[in-house]
Amino acid sequence: MSVIVIIGSQFGDEGKGKVIDYLSQNADFVVRFHGGNNAGHTVVNRRGKFKLHHIPSGICHPQTKLVIANGVVIDPFILFEEIENLKKQGISLRNRLIISSRCHLIFPYHKQLEAIYESVKKGKNTPQPTGRGINPVHADKVSYLGIRLADLFHPKIFREKLKINLQIKNILIKAFTGKNLSFEEIFRPYLKIAEKLKPFVRETSIILQKALEEKKNILFEGAQGTFLDIDWGIYPYVTASSVVAGSINAGSGIPVKKINKIIGVVKSYTTHVGFRPFPSKMPAKITDFIREKGGEYGTTTGRSRQCGWLDLELVKSAVKISGINELFLTKIDTLTGLKKILVCKEYQYHKKKSSYFHLSTDSLWQVKPVYEEFNAWSEDISICRKYRHLPLNAKKYIERIEQLVKVPIKYISVGPQRKATIKR
Ligand code: IMP
């Protein structure tokens, strides 16, 4: 039996879709436990290219059950569309996909509220959310106003809850847009979509606890990344959920002490979307090179990602927060062709060494990265399948990262396909 958790060690977009596709070959269950359709995970293998937002990335292993656990917030229309699209691509999720009835649902008013908040904050350097209504749905969850998937199977309860929500939200929505949201235009379509999702809906915690008893292999698929975490990220440039390893407990009902291994996914450089302090930002010319070569455009929004050198102060902090025991280094092939590669090994604040944990969001704007410089390589490493096949300079880069972070790099991804992976 193994219980493995995959955590993004940066700002999301570390390549977790590929990592999950690769690591779930022997998994009985792949479990999403937080976030929502703000996530965008890409899986590329012999069966094609799949872009996933809600559905766990273990889709291509027919024996693997896919669990959307209670910690995930769901846009039921997007989820159903994803199920249908996968069917068209030859992947049936019947008897494989299991959705928790406890998941909170995204409604049109969440997306509208998010847009209203953004319109008011405009020009004030905001986190620039993905537009999926993620923060308002979480706000409703903790305001005891949330509507869960289970509610849709009780029209009377759903009617009451929706009425209360619209009564409150329409005041703001009318004030900003001049129009109310209509109860009927939400109520009926949500009842209908619930019927379509019903065959997949179960109490997922019971299934996962039984899987533990039966010593099954369970892979927890983290979304986003440590520095988007609501508590440990660079607040307020964060997402609305807890994304660190400990959140598997709240998000799935599985005890933290059952975890055997926590794998941190680290991209060989740093990227993020939106506005936030970015100490290891690359010069524009190198950003253009990396963005084009690495396809650094958001899977969910298509926005171009900002690029920076690998920031090990962040990775070391992610290791401490989640207790990461192994690293999966991704997209090292993107660095091929550069002359020099830099790695930020620590931060200086007012000329003194300082750690991420000591620094406020404001002080992170003033931090100076301390870089170590590496010679790059020009050989095509995307064809390498063994560690010994990598050029010496690539090996030096990898081994020095391990030394600085003090965690072994067990896997190296040299291309988007599943097979483009080196296991050490
Ligand atoms: P939200 O999660 O839509 O509220 O967005 C909040 C911040 O997190 C924004 O800067 C988003 O770009 C970022 N974000 C949310 N999910 C992801 C993700 O899966 N990958 C990368 N960035 C994300």
Side-chain angles (χ1 to χ4, degrees):
M1 176 196 76
S2 69
V3 177
I4 299 176
V5 183
I6 307 299
I7 292 295
S9 310
Q10 293 151 318
F11 295 95
D13 308 326
E14 296 95 351
K16 293 186 292 298
K18 181 233 160 107
V19 167
I20 305 284
D21 176 53
Y22 177 82
L23 292 174
S24 59
Q25 297 176 70
N26 299 318
D28 298 299
F29 291 86
V30 178
V31 186
R32 278 280 311 266
F33 55 99
H34 72 90
N37 58 323
N38 48 350
H41 292 174
T42 308
V43 170
V44 187
N45 56 38
R46 271 182 305 158
R47 300 190 67 172
K49 183 169 182 176
F50 307 91
K51 286 187 187 281
L52 305 164
H53 298 286
H54 274 312
I55 295 173
S57 304
I59 47 167
C60 291
H61 309 294
Q63 84 292 350
T64 307
K65 299 253 194 279
L66 308 165
V67 178
I68 299 178
N70 57 285
V72 179
V73 294
I74 289 177
D75 184 326
F77 296 92
I78 303 288
L79 173 55
F80 189 68
E81 195 182 303
E82 248 180 274
I83 297 171
E84 290 296 285
N85 284 342
L86 285 173
K87 206 194 293 177
K88 283 187 208 138
Q89 286 183 275
I91 296 189
S92 167
L93 298 182
R94 230 162 228 279
N95 302 320
R96 288 186 64 203
L97 177 66
I98 312 164
I99 310 167
S100 168
S101 55
R102 292 172 194 259
C103 290
H104 282 250
L105 299 180
I106 299 172
F107 283 88
Y109 47 80
H110 292 126
K111 285 180 252 182
Q112 286 227 8
L113 288 175
E114 185 179 294
I116 289 170
Y117 303 155
E118 286 310 294
S119 73
V120 177
K121 290 190 268 179
K122 208 176 168 81
K124 301 234 171 75
N125 299 334
T126 64
Q128 298 166 13
T130 55
R132 304 299 186 260
I134 300 296
N135 67 71
V137 71
H138 282 90
D140 274 357
K141 182 172 175 176
V142 295
S143 307
Y144 320 135
L145 281 170
I147 301 180
R148 305 201 285 186
L149 191 47
D151 296 323
L152 300 194
F153 304 115
H154 303 280
K156 234 174 118 184
I157 296 173
F158 175 39
R159 176 182 287 277
E160 277 313 299
K161 290 191 175 181
L162 184 60
K163 269 191 176 162
I164 292 169
N165 269 288
L166 284 178
Q167 200 183 334
I168 300 166
K169 272 113 182 169
N170 265 336
I171 295 172
L172 204 61
I173 292 173
K174 180 92 191 276
F176 277 89
T177 67
K179 278 192 281 188
N180 275 328
L181 285 179
S182 137
F183 174 87
E184 281 306 325
E185 279 174 25
I186 299 175
F187 186 64
R188 299 276 158 214
Y190 270 75
L191 286 182
K192 271 197 192 152
I193 198 76
E195 282 312 306
K196 291 185 179 166
L197 291 175
K198 202 171 183 175
F200 302 102
V201 180
R202 309 270 290 278
E203 174 50 56
T204 52
S205 63
I206 296 174
I207 293 166
L208 291 174
Q209 282 156 6
K210 185 160 176 273
L212 274 184
E213 276 166 30
E214 291 172 355
K215 310 225 176 305
K216 302 279 191 202
N217 294 327
I218 308 176
L219 194 62
F220 283 92
E221 174 175 352
Q224 285 84 47
T226 304
F227 300 95
L228 293 175
D229 182 271
I230 185 75
D231 286 287
W232 296 107
I234 306 178
Y235 192 88
Y237 310 109
V238 294
T239 189
S241 63
S242 174
V243 314
V244 296
S247 65
I248 73 146
N249 185 207
S252 75
I254 292 301
V256 173
K257 70 175 181 188
K258 296 288 179 190
I259 300 173
N260 303 113
K261 201 191 287 175
I262 302 172
I263 301 178
V265 185
V266 179
K267 188 152 66 180
S268 306
Y269 46 95
T270 313
T271 61
H272 73 96
V273 183
F275 180 86
R276 57 176 65 74
F278 196 21
S280 69
K281 194 170 166 41
M282 287 166 166
K285 225 170 137 188
I286 304 179
T287 291
D288 291 346
F289 173 88
I290 294 285
R291 189 181 285 144
E292 288 318 308
K293 192 141 182 256
E296 295 301 344
Y297 296 91
T299 312
T300 302
T301 59
R303 295 178 293 183
S304 43
R305 296 176 184 149
Q306 309 225 31
C307 302
W309 300 112
L310 178 57
D311 183 337
L312 292 185
E313 178 56 33
L314 293 183
V315 177
K316 284 187 280 182
S317 308
V319 164
K320 285 184 185 145
I321 295 165
S322 284
I324 289 168
N325 340 77
E326 288 182 3
L327 297 179
F328 198 129
L329 187 70
T330 61
K331 296 187 97 165
I332 188 166
D333 53 307
T334 307
L335 300 177
T336 304
L338 287 174
K339 284 205 173 67
K340 296 274 178 203
I341 302 169
L342 302 189
V343 166
C344 164
K345 53 181 187 180
E346 59 191 43
Y347 289 164
Q348 283 215 339
Y349 178 66
H350 291 168
K351 300 196 172 148
K352 280 204 190 112
K353 182 178 166 174
S354 188
S355 85
Y356 174 76
F357 296 104
H358 281 110
L359 294 160
S360 66
T361 298
D362 279 349
S363 30
L364 277 169
W365 287 108
Q366 297 156 49
V367 143
K368 298 263 176 287
V370 178
Y371 285 123
E372 193 163 307
E373 194 177 284
F374 294 81
N375 289 323
W377 54 89
S378 54
E379 298 90 328
D380 176 12
I381 60 169
S382 66
I383 48 172
C384 297
R385 297 292 175 265
K386 298 258 184 260
Y387 188 66
R388 64 182 140 82
H389 296 160
L390 287 172
L392 183 64
N393 284 346
K395 286 194 254 186
K396 280 187 183 166
Y397 181 70
I398 292 164
E399 286 163 29
R400 182 67 178 139
I401 295 168
E402 276 182 316
Q403 210 177 40
L404 290 166
V405 181
K406 299 191 182 80
V407 176
I409 295 174
K410 288 279 182 183
Y411 307 89
I412 300 147
S413 171
V414 291
Q417 298 85 4
R418 186 191 297 164
K419 61 179 184 190
T421 309
I422 296 171
K423 186 169 183 234
R424 289 170 85 199

